[in-house]
Amino acid sequence: MDIILKTDIAGLGYKNDTVTVKPGYGRNYLIPQGYAMMATDSNKKIVAENIRQAAHKAEKIKNDAQATADNIGDLTLTIPAKAGDSGKIFGRVTNTQVADALREKGFDIDRKKITIDDIKNLGTYEASLDLHKDVKHKVKIDVVAAE
């Protein structure tokens, strides 16, 4: 019996795969649990169209992320921080502060997508922006003493 999987099943296949299983396993377990559907011609056409649309949406999301990275370019963010005479700052610079600085420049990037090293001194550092699984971008951070 041929079925189309609606979800990933270990040892059987991945979502949208057409697999052959024993009739009892398909009729009594996979289909009633909502893990699969019969592999009829109409269902095959529906799945093919869904795959095509999902690929189109994924490509658009990736292109948007690449456009954001291109717009950011070689941007250098200036983040003021209270510091002592030796240049050591009180507290630390966090990814939330970097997200706020980006927002002031007109880029709305979630703080969870920003990775920075531990910044405890004044100076120039680099932050990594994870805009998409295939699009990473680096931005310079200039930590200066606050007045």
Side-chain angles (χ1 to χ4, degrees):
M1 155 181 229
D2 287 339
I3 57 169
I4 300 171
L5 297 177
K6 291 183 179 179
T7 183
D8 296 348
I9 299 178
L12 189 58
Y14 297 102
K15 183 177 179 179
N16 297 326
D17 284 352
T18 302
V19 294
T20 302
V21 295
K22 291 187 177 181
Y25 183 50
R27 272 196 311 269
N28 297 327
Y29 179 70
L30 294 175
I31 294 173
Q33 293 293 325
Y35 296 146
M37 61 183 158
M38 295 293 292
T40 61
D41 289 337
S42 63
N43 284 344
K44 287 179 184 178
K45 288 178 185 176
I46 291 170
V47 168
E49 180 64 21
N50 289 344
I51 291 171
R52 189 183 66 75
Q53 288 179 2
H56 180 70
K57 287 179 186 175
E59 186 66 28
K60 183 180 182 323
I61 291 169
K62 181 181 175 186
N63 289 341
D64 290 346
Q66 186 62 49
T68 301
D70 293 341
N71 287 340
I72 292 173
D74 294 334
L75 182 68
T76 300
L77 301 173
T78 303
I79 298 179
K82 291 185 180 181
D85 294 333
S86 64
K88 186 171 173 69
I89 64 174
F90 302 123
R92 68 176 61 177
V93 176
T94 63
N95 54 356
T96 304
Q97 290 172 299
V98 175
D100 290 341
L102 281 167
R103 196 168 293 115
E104 288 175 8
K105 299 285 187 181
F107 302 104
D108 190 23
I109 296 175
D110 187 22
R111 67 178 173 82
K112 295 173 187 164
K113 295 183 178 187
I114 300 171
T115 306
I116 57 174
D117 291 332
D118 204 20
I119 299 175
K120 294 184 178 179
N121 295 311
L122 299 176
T124 303
Y125 298 91
E126 207 170 63
S128 176
L129 307 178
D130 186 15
L131 302 173
H132 185 268
K133 68 179 184 177
D134 296 331
V135 180
K136 312 277 189 266
H137 190 71
K138 300 253 188 229
V139 65
K140 290 187 187 243
I141 303 170
D142 192 19
V143 181
V144 298
E147 298 297 321

